[in-house]
Amino acid sequence: MTEEPRPERDPDAGDVGADAEVPTAPEIAEEIAEVEERRYPSTLGGALYILVLIAGAVGVAWSGWGDWRIGVTVLAGALLAAALFRLVLPQPDAGMLAVRHRFVDVALFGVVGGVLIFLVRTIPNQPGL
């Protein structure tokens, strides 16, 4: 089999060939940073979302390495707090807590948190474990 010669590519033509230089992730990040200065977090809801994530992670970790009832209760508390934050924060300030309509977000956070609390309180202790 003989290989056919590859046609020359114009780097300004816009098509990316095997020989074209593709920008790396840090180069792309630098270009974005030059265009817009990033703020951490940009809304109150963003800060509260980070707190909910931290509390949820603590609850999951506590469930794995400590008393599971306390860990699941902490996780449920984080979800109930997220429901409360989503309920009281206006849409522009809700940040990543606002995924769907307010009613749906509050209902999902509240129902899952409430069910976890219910399960923690109603599952009997297992002797010998």
Side-chain angles (χ1 to χ4, degrees):
M1 289 183 126
T2 61
E3 277 190 37
E4 293 183 26
R6 290 176 31 188
E8 292 294 321
R9 296 187 186 265
D10 183 8
D12 295 329
D15 75 327
V16 178
D19 297 335
E21 185 177 326
V22 177
T24 62
E27 292 171 347
I28 295 170
E30 275 183 35
E31 289 178 23
I32 293 171
E34 290 173 2
V35 173
E36 181 178 332
E37 184 178 328
R38 191 165 189 175
R39 297 173 290 165
Y40 297 99
S42 61
T43 63
L44 175 61
L48 295 175
Y49 177 75
I50 291 170
L51 291 176
V52 167
L53 284 178
I54 291 170
V58 167
V60 170
W62 202 319
S63 295
W65 290 297
D67 183 10
W68 71 270
R69 290 184 192 272
I70 295 173
V72 173
T73 302
V74 170
L75 177 60
L79 291 171
L80 292 173
L84 177 67
F85 296 150
R86 179 66 176 108
L87 183 64
V88 299
L89 288 173
Q91 179 71 24
D93 294 335
M96 290 187 67
L97 290 171
V99 178
R100 300 160 221 66
H101 294 289
R102 181 182 305 228
F103 174 78
V104 176
D105 286 336
V106 171
L108 288 175
F109 283 136
V111 167
V112 173
V115 166
L116 287 176
I117 293 287
F118 173 77
L119 291 173
V120 163
R121 301 294 176 228
T122 58
I123 294 176
N125 287 329
Q126 300 295 317
L129 293 178

